[in-house]
Amino acid sequence: MSKTALVVGASGIVGSATAALLTDRNWTVHGLARRPTKQTGVQPVVADLQDPKGTADALSGIRADAVFLTTWLRQDSEADNIRVNSAMVRNLLDGLPQAAAPRHVALVTGLKHYLGPFEAYGRGTLPQTPFREQQARLDVENFYYAQEDELFAAAARDGFTWSVHRPHTVIGKAVGNAMNMGTTLAVYATLCRETGRPFTFPGSAAQWSGLTDMTDAGQLARHLLWAAETDAAHNNAFNVVNGDVFRWQWMWGRIAEWFGLEAVPFDGIVRPLEQQMADDAGAWRLIAQREGLVEPDLGRLASPWHTDADLGRPIEVVTDMSKSRRLGFTGYQPTDDAFFALFGQLRADSLIP
């Protein structure tokens, strides 16, 4: 018998990958978004999670066996992030119709659980790496903690099982996404190739030479489904990354090679993409017009601020996945292959030349 899923944030990087996997596994999939995009096999649900009544009305006919919460809204301060994003989780869980059978709710957060919010990103006293799930919360306000607390309270009230998933930077396709390193680097590399600018690493010495890892959206989707279907994984928080580690001094060369560029050796100077790409909107529009690309608006493809936050960290960031491995999750995805698959998809979809 087909199971029913509700994917919240179905138009985003993680949500779209999760919806695609579930439809491939013969689930009935409802995809909730403020502005749904057309997705094969996904039944769109239009709702704004900031509106409690509108959310409840939109969900009134959906009896989901599993709910995958993959969205958030960035605000100007962490206090506002907490207020808005905790309310979104609360409104969703309050608005779900009573389940006819046991239900599982999965929440996607991330490594800011260990690194702190953007206002204090990678600063102060941080846990040792590799990050492990049993490490205590930081003594700082963090909207991920507020989201978790809403999830835990609703689970205790309504009796559903839950899982929390903490990916590192996610590689995947989405247009208009606020945190999108893969597409940002693809656009940056394209601009460098087209304008003759050097392909210069924008980040810190620690990121250039230290070990790191990332999370492919497909790997995360498989992890979400695994946790929903595995009793031993219920009521647990998990890190989820690809399974390999790398140094950016190696990966930068791999990306450069894919785009036919020469990687410029890092000279120790941080050159943020937000500065490098500040005046590139016009150049991108001209490239898009010449090449017949479907998205001429640079701001809907690239999110330099987020890529700068990740690549500018002053510390090495690696993630332990032993907890998932011990419980039976064996998924693995080489990160360079994840980048290359994304770049190929962006080119096939006429988003880059």
Side-chain angles (χ1 to χ4, degrees):
M1 181 180 294
S2 174
K3 291 186 176 181
T4 298
L6 174 66
V7 179
V8 183
S11 60
I13 293 175
V14 178
S16 59
T18 303
L21 176 65
L22 290 166
T23 56
D24 187 59
R25 300 287 178 87
N26 297 316
W27 284 59
T28 298
V29 180
H30 300 271
L32 186 150
R34 285 178 298 165
R35 293 178 294 275
T37 56
K38 186 176 180 180
Q39 296 169 272
T40 302
V42 178
Q43 301 174 31
V45 179
V46 181
D48 182 347
L49 295 182
Q50 297 181 86
D51 175 4
K53 184 179 184 306
T55 297
D57 290 345
L59 297 175
S60 61
I62 299 173
R63 298 296 192 274
D65 300 290
V67 179
F68 302 93
L69 182 48
T70 71
T71 191
W72 71 289
L73 281 178
R74 186 189 182 204
Q75 305 299 309
D76 291 334
S77 69
E78 192 61 16
D80 285 338
N81 276 330
I82 291 169
R83 176 181 56 81
V84 170
N85 289 284
S86 63
M88 288 168 58
V89 174
R90 183 169 61 253
N91 293 341
L92 171 76
L93 298 178
D94 288 352
L96 288 170
Q98 185 65 37
R103 170 183 284 154
H104 184 79
V105 179
L107 171 67
V108 177
T109 61
L111 294 198
K112 287 191 293 297
H113 185 95
Y114 309 108
L115 289 162
F118 287 121
E119 290 179 2
Y121 201 45
R123 301 180 206 146
T125 301
L126 296 171
Q128 288 185 338
T129 58
F131 295 141
R132 293 184 169 89
E133 296 92 342
Q134 64 266 34
Q135 292 169 193
R137 290 178 175 183
L138 299 176
D139 186 18
V140 62
E141 290 192 330
N142 189 322
F143 82 89
Y144 283 169
Y145 305 162
Q147 286 183 308
E148 286 187 346
D149 289 343
E150 293 290 348
L151 176 69
F152 301 155
R157 178 192 68 201
D158 296 337
F160 59 77
T161 60
W162 56 267
S163 56
V164 175
H165 303 255
R166 300 169 185 161
H168 201 161
T169 306
V170 178
I171 303 170
K173 181 197 166 189
V175 176
N177 190 271
M179 301 193 302
N180 195 337
M181 180 191 284
T183 303
T184 299
L185 292 181
V187 169
Y188 173 61
T190 300
L191 285 162
C192 289
R193 187 184 63 210
E194 297 291 328
T195 63
R197 283 158 42 187
F199 187 57
T200 304
F201 182 71
S204 68
Q207 288 302 300
W208 178 254
S209 59
L211 290 172
T212 194
D213 48 29
M214 293 184 72
T215 307
D216 178 70
Q219 171 84 337
L220 177 50
R222 292 186 291 274
H223 194 263
L224 287 163
L225 180 55
W226 165 80
E229 295 184 327
T230 302
D231 289 347
H234 292 170
N235 303 329
N236 277 286
F238 296 102
N239 298 328
V240 50
V241 287
N242 287 336
D244 63 345
V245 294
F246 64 90
R247 303 181 199 276
W248 273 106
Q249 61 188 5
W250 174 80
M251 186 66 76
W252 201 247
R254 296 284 284 155
I255 293 173
E257 184 179 4
W258 198 94
F259 284 95
L261 295 165
E262 182 178 346
V264 177
F266 181 60
D267 62 2
I269 299 174
V270 177
R271 296 179 172 86
L273 287 181
E274 200 159 23
Q275 295 176 14
Q276 291 194 55
M277 301 176 70
D279 300 320
D280 281 340
W284 183 259
R285 190 169 295 277
L286 290 174
I287 294 170
Q289 290 172 349
R290 188 192 73 211
E291 300 292 338
L293 303 182
V294 298
E295 184 50 77
D297 184 352
L298 180 65
R300 284 184 49 77
L301 291 174
S303 50
W305 70 272
H306 175 256
T307 300
D308 286 340
D310 278 2
L311 297 184
R313 294 173 185 150
I315 59 171
E316 180 177 272
V317 177
V318 287
T319 315
D320 181 72
M321 270 193 72
S322 297
K323 186 175 182 180
S324 293
R325 302 302 187 204
R326 289 187 177 107
L327 292 176
F329 182 75
T330 59
Y332 174 81
Q333 171 65 59
T335 300
D336 52 344
D337 287 353
F339 271 122
F340 300 158
L342 171 63
F343 300 156
Q345 184 179 13
L346 294 174
R347 181 167 288 171
D349 293 343
S350 297
L351 287 164
I352 63 172

